[in-house]
Amino acid sequence: MKPWKDLFRIHILERGLNYYEEGCVTSLEQTSIGYTAVVEGTDDYEVGIEICADQVYDMTCTCPYAAEGKYCKHMAAVLYKIEEGEPDTKMPGNYLQKVQEQNKELQDIIAGIPIEELQEIVFSQASSDDFLYNRIMTKYAPITPRHMIRLKKQVNDIGYHYSDRGGFVDYYHATDYTDALNTLLNENIPLLLEKNYRMEAFELVNCVFYEIGNRDMDDSDGSISFVVDNCYEYWQTILHECNDEEKETMFQWFQDHQEKNYVVDYLEDYISDFLMNEFHDEEMLRKKLHMLDEKITKFQKENYSGDSYSSYYGMVNNITARICLMEELNYSKQEIRDYRQKYRNFSEIRKMEIQEYLTDKKYEEAIAVLKESKKLDANQPGLVAEYSQQLIQIYEKRNMQKEYAEELQYQVFGCMQDNLKYIVKLKKLCSETEWEEQRERFLKDETSSWIRYEFLVEEELFARLFREIQKNNSVYELDQYEKVLKKHLPNEVRDMYVRYVKNEAVQTADRKAYKYLMSYLKKITKYPDGEKIARDIAECWKQDYKRRPAMMDELRKAGF
C-alpha cells in the first residue's frame, strides 16, 4: 500500500500500534475490495478497509469514535497488521518526518531570539498558563508546599477540563484525559526525584491515582490501566530511592488506604498488591504477617460462610499470601506445613501441598492428596477434572499402567472434554473392537457435547457429522465443517445450502442481509452443478422479488 499514516492523528496512530503489537487484530480476511478484521478489546469492533490502486480509499469501524466520521485506532491497528513484515511499517512515516522538520525550524528560530526577549516571552506565557508555570517551578525552583498545591490543582483541572457538568469523561475524551494525566506524571515525577523530593513525588502520584480512581468515565478502550500502571511503576521507583524513614511512611500510607474506599473497588487491588509485593524489609514483612492474621481472624468470625465464593474471594487469598510471607521470612518447611494443615478445606491450599510433593518427587503423597481432593471438591467439576488430569500425568510418568487406564476412563467419561487429548490417549489403549464400543459410549455421553463434531471428524464419521448438522438445521455449523464435508458429501452440502438461501430469501429484507445471502449463492457455484443451480435460483428471485430494488442490485453486483 501507499503511505497511509498521514490519515491519523499521531496519538491515534500510536494507540493503533499498541493494539497491533498486543495481538488484538484477529480474523483478518482479504476481500474483493480490501480487508475486514476484528479488533479485540473491552469490546470487539469490526473494521473494514477499502483499498483502490494500492491506496486506502475508505475505512469503517463499529466503534463510537469512528461513528463520528473519524479515523480510529482500530483502523490503524488493522493497517499495521496488513503491512505486517514490511520494512519501516512501525514508524509514523511522513507525519513524523514533518513534525521533526517543524521542530527543527522552531529550534533554529528560538536560538536566534535575544535572551531578554526570550525571557519576556516565557514569563508572559507562564503567567497565563498554569501548566507551563508548574513545569518551570518544578524544574528550577525549590519545591514548597505552595507549589505542591498548584501541582495538585493541575491534576484536578485536568479532570474538570475533560469531563462534563456531571463529572463524567465520555468515550471521546477518555484518551485525551488519560494522556494528560500521564504527561503530568512523566514531566514532574522524574524532576522531583532528580532534586531528591521523594515524598513530594509520592504525594503527586497519589493525587493522580486518586483522580483516576474516583473519576466516572467510559473506559471502553482500557485507558485507565495506562495511568494506574504508570502510578504503580512510579511508586516502585520512589520506593527504590527512599531511605528507611521514607519507606516506613510509604508503608503506612498503603496500609491505611487499602480498605477505606479510597478509590473504586477494583483499583484497590493496586494498593493491596503493592503493599504485599514491594516491601521486603524484615520488620515490614512481619507487620504484613500480623496484618494478614488480623484479616483472617476477622473473616473467620464475621464473614466466612463456607461456600466456594467466600472461600476463594475471602479467606484463601489472605491465607496463600501469608504462606508466601512465611517462606520469605524463612519459616521452616514443617512450620509452613503445620499452618497449611489448618486450612486444607481450601482447594488452593491443597494445590500448594500437591505441588510441593511433586517438586520433591514424592509421587505417592501427591497421588493421595489428588484422590482426596477429587472427593472433597466433588461439587466442582472443573477442579475434579484438573485433579484427574494431574493423576493421569503422574501415572503415565511412573508407568502405572492399570491406574493410568482407569483414570483415563474416569477423565473421558466423568469429566467434560474440551479437546481430544485424553480421548486419543484412551484410543491407543484399546483394540479395534474395544474402541468401537468406547467410541459409541463417548458419543452418547454428555461429556462429548463440547467436542462432538470435532470428534466425528477425527473418527472420519462424515456422514454422521452431516446428519447431526442437518438435524440442527445450522448453516453456521455447516460453514465450520464445510471444507472437510465438501470432499466427502459435496451434493448433500450443496443441497443444504440451497435450502438455506431459498428459506432466507423469503424473510430477508435489508441490503446487508442481501449481501450475506449473495455470498452463499456464490458458495453454491463451487459445488457440482452449482453454477446452474445458483443461476436458476437467481432467476427465480428476479421474478419473485422484482419489487425489492436492493436485492436486485446485490444480485447484479454478485454477477447474477
Side-chain angles (χ1 to χ4, degrees):
M1 289 184 298
K2 293 179 181 177
W4 50 267
K5 299 180 182 69
D6 290 352
L7 299 171
F8 297 87
R9 295 169 63 189
I10 189 66
H11 76 278
I12 295 294
L13 199 62
E14 291 172 352
R15 288 293 177 91
L17 179 57
N18 287 338
Y19 270 63
Y20 160 72
E21 290 179 335
E22 290 170 5
C24 296
V25 181
T26 64
S27 305
L28 180 67
E29 293 184 5
Q30 190 165 9
T31 67
S32 59
I33 59 172
Y35 295 85
T36 61
V38 173
V39 180
E40 298 177 345
T42 307
D43 291 311
D44 292 349
Y45 297 112
E46 297 177 5
V47 177
I49 308 291
E50 189 172 338
I51 297 173
C52 182
D54 295 327
Q55 184 171 316
V56 175
Y57 179 73
D58 193 17
M59 293 184 283
T60 60
C61 181
T62 55
C63 77
Y65 188 80
E68 291 192 338
K70 300 175 182 178
Y71 291 151
C72 66
K73 59 194 173 188
H74 309 107
M75 299 170 182
V78 173
L79 286 166
Y80 276 117
K81 182 69 174 178
I82 292 170
E83 287 197 341
E84 191 173 70
E86 295 185 10
D88 300 325
T89 59
K90 295 185 180 180
M91 295 300 293
N94 293 339
Y95 187 89
L96 180 57
Q97 184 178 351
K98 290 176 183 177
V99 171
Q100 291 172 338
E101 290 173 356
Q102 290 173 355
N103 289 342
K104 179 64 167 60
E105 182 182 11
L106 181 61
Q107 286 177 336
D108 293 342
I109 292 173
I110 290 175
I113 299 176
I115 187 66
E116 295 82 3
E117 292 183 28
L118 188 59
Q119 289 175 342
E120 184 178 342
I121 292 171
V122 173
F123 177 77
S124 176
Q125 286 294 111
S127 297
S128 58
D129 185 336
D130 286 344
F131 282 35
L132 180 58
Y133 178 95
N134 287 340
R135 187 173 182 181
I136 292 172
M137 297 298 287
T138 302
K139 174 72 174 176
Y140 299 105
I143 305 302
T144 63
R146 181 180 176 185
H147 181 58
M148 290 304 300
I149 291 173
R150 289 183 65 95
L151 285 174
K152 291 177 185 178
K153 181 179 180 298
Q154 185 175 338
V155 175
N156 296 333
D157 288 345
I158 290 172
Y160 178 80
H161 178 74
Y162 291 104
S163 61
D164 60 20
R165 291 182 179 179
F168 179 74
V169 178
D170 62 27
Y171 179 88
Y172 307 105
H173 296 92
T175 296
D176 291 337
Y177 166 68
T178 53
D179 282 349
L181 288 175
N182 269 333
T183 298
L184 184 147
L185 285 172
N186 296 337
E187 286 184 350
N188 288 280
I189 300 303
L191 291 176
L192 290 170
L193 293 177
E194 183 181 326
K195 296 165 70 174
N196 292 323
Y197 287 99
R198 293 179 289 272
M199 289 298 95
E200 288 77 5
F202 181 56
E203 192 177 341
L204 183 59
V205 175
N206 296 345
C207 182
V208 171
F209 186 75
Y210 181 82
E211 162 65 32
I212 195 73
N214 288 279
R215 179 65 59 184
D216 191 16
M217 66 177 287
D218 184 333
D219 191 38
S220 298
D221 65 351
S223 53
I224 285 179
S225 65
F226 287 102
V227 179
V228 293
D229 287 346
N230 203 16
C231 289
Y232 195 104
E233 290 175 8
Y234 276 126
W235 281 336
Q236 288 177 313
T237 302
I238 294 165
L239 181 63
H240 180 72
E241 296 187 13
C242 281
N243 58 39
D244 290 344
E245 184 179 348
E246 291 166 338
K247 286 180 181 178
E248 182 62 39
T249 299
M250 288 185 68
F251 181 87
Q252 192 62 49
W253 185 90
F254 282 101
Q255 188 172 4
D256 290 344
H257 288 82
Q258 62 175 329
E259 291 181 349
K260 291 191 175 182
N261 298 318
Y262 179 67
V263 288
V264 67
D265 53 3
Y266 72 92
L267 292 184
E268 288 177 350
D269 291 342
Y270 281 81
I271 296 177
S272 297
D273 288 349
F274 195 92
L275 182 63
M276 285 296 133
N277 298 330
E278 303 297 334
F279 295 93
H280 299 285
D281 293 357
E282 183 175 345
E283 183 180 349
M284 292 179 182
L285 291 174
R286 295 197 178 279
K287 285 183 179 180
K288 288 193 282 185
L289 201 71
H290 178 69
M291 179 180 64
L292 286 172
D293 284 339
E294 289 183 338
K295 285 184 179 182
I296 293 168
T297 300
K298 182 179 178 181
F299 191 78
Q300 284 175 315
K301 290 179 179 178
E302 299 178 4
N303 298 317
Y304 178 50
S305 62
D307 59 53
S308 60
Y309 181 90
S310 296
S311 298
Y312 186 80
Y313 291 101
M315 281 192 68
V316 74
N317 288 334
N318 291 321
I319 295 169
T320 53
R322 192 193 194 278
I323 291 171
C324 291
L325 283 176
M326 292 172 74
E327 291 172 348
E328 192 170 356
L329 284 165
N330 295 318
Y331 276 64
S332 70
K333 282 191 174 184
Q334 188 57 50
E335 287 175 307
I336 294 173
R337 289 193 193 103
D338 291 343
Y339 183 79
R340 279 201 316 245
Q341 186 66 30
K342 296 190 296 183
Y343 301 104
R344 290 188 79 257
N345 55 312
F346 295 107
S347 61
E348 293 295 327
I349 305 305
R350 275 179 275 114
K351 285 181 182 180
M352 296 175 76
E353 186 177 349
I354 292 164
Q355 187 54 52
E356 181 180 307
Y357 284 137
L358 291 175
T359 301
D360 294 341
K361 297 184 179 181
K362 295 181 178 180
Y363 298 109
E364 293 303 320
E365 289 85 346
I367 289 170
V369 179
L370 285 165
K371 287 182 175 180
E372 176 191 12
S373 295
K374 283 173 65 177
K375 295 178 181 178
L376 291 174
D377 297 323
N379 62 336
Q380 298 186 61
L383 277 177
V384 172
E386 184 181 331
Y387 299 140
S388 175
Q389 290 163 14
Q390 283 186 284
L391 283 168
I392 289 169
Q393 186 177 3
I394 295 171
Y395 293 147
E396 186 175 23
K397 184 176 182 178
R398 304 289 292 169
N399 199 27
M400 300 168 69
Q401 293 299 321
K402 180 175 178 294
E403 293 83 355
Y404 175 66
E406 290 175 352
E407 196 62 42
L408 271 176
Q409 287 273 346
Y410 178 86
Q411 172 66 216
V412 170
F413 298 109
C415 307
M416 292 297 293
Q417 301 301 300
D418 58 8
N419 61 65
L420 298 172
K421 177 180 178 180
Y422 296 101
I423 299 165
V424 171
K425 285 178 178 290
L426 181 60
K427 183 177 181 179
K428 290 179 180 178
L429 299 181
C430 298
S431 67
E432 187 173 339
T433 304
E434 288 173 336
W435 176 242
E436 288 181 4
E437 294 177 0
Q438 297 281 33
R439 181 178 66 195
E440 291 306 311
R441 179 186 171 192
F442 180 68
L443 286 169
K444 292 176 182 176
D445 200 284
E446 65 175 14
T447 60
S448 70
S449 59
W450 288 357
I451 59 167
R452 186 176 185 81
Y453 290 169
E454 185 180 348
F455 179 66
L456 289 170
V457 171
E458 176 71 16
E459 292 297 302
E460 299 184 354
L461 300 173
F462 303 115
R464 190 165 175 178
L465 170 63
F466 180 76
R467 286 197 301 272
E468 295 207 11
I469 292 174
Q470 191 177 38
K471 182 180 177 181
N472 293 333
N473 196 29
S474 172
V475 73
Y476 171 74
E477 291 174 350
L478 184 60
D479 287 343
Q480 283 186 296
Y481 295 94
E482 180 195 6
K483 188 174 181 180
V484 65
L485 288 174
K486 184 177 181 180
K487 294 179 181 179
H488 302 278
L489 301 163
N491 293 337
E492 290 85 347
V493 175
R494 176 202 63 200
D495 292 345
M496 186 169 172
Y497 279 131
V498 168
R499 289 192 295 273
Y500 170 74
V501 296
K502 287 181 177 180
N503 292 335
E504 285 297 303
V506 175
Q507 54 193 355
T508 296
D510 65 82
R511 184 177 290 273
K512 185 176 181 180
Y514 292 144
K515 286 183 178 180
Y516 190 67
L517 206 54
M518 297 311 144
S519 69
Y520 279 96
L521 203 58
K522 288 181 178 180
K523 190 191 288 280
I524 291 170
T525 65
K526 308 298 182 183
Y527 285 82
D529 301 320
E531 187 73 35
K532 181 180 183 305
I533 293 171
R535 294 204 172 276
D536 288 345
I537 293 171
E539 289 303 316
C540 288
W541 286 352
K542 289 175 184 178
Q543 296 299 318
D544 296 342
Y545 308 119
K546 58 187 176 183
R547 296 186 183 276
R548 298 182 184 179
M551 186 179 191
M552 297 301 104
D553 186 41
E554 291 304 325
L555 273 169
R556 179 185 56 79
K557 288 180 180 179
F560 296 101

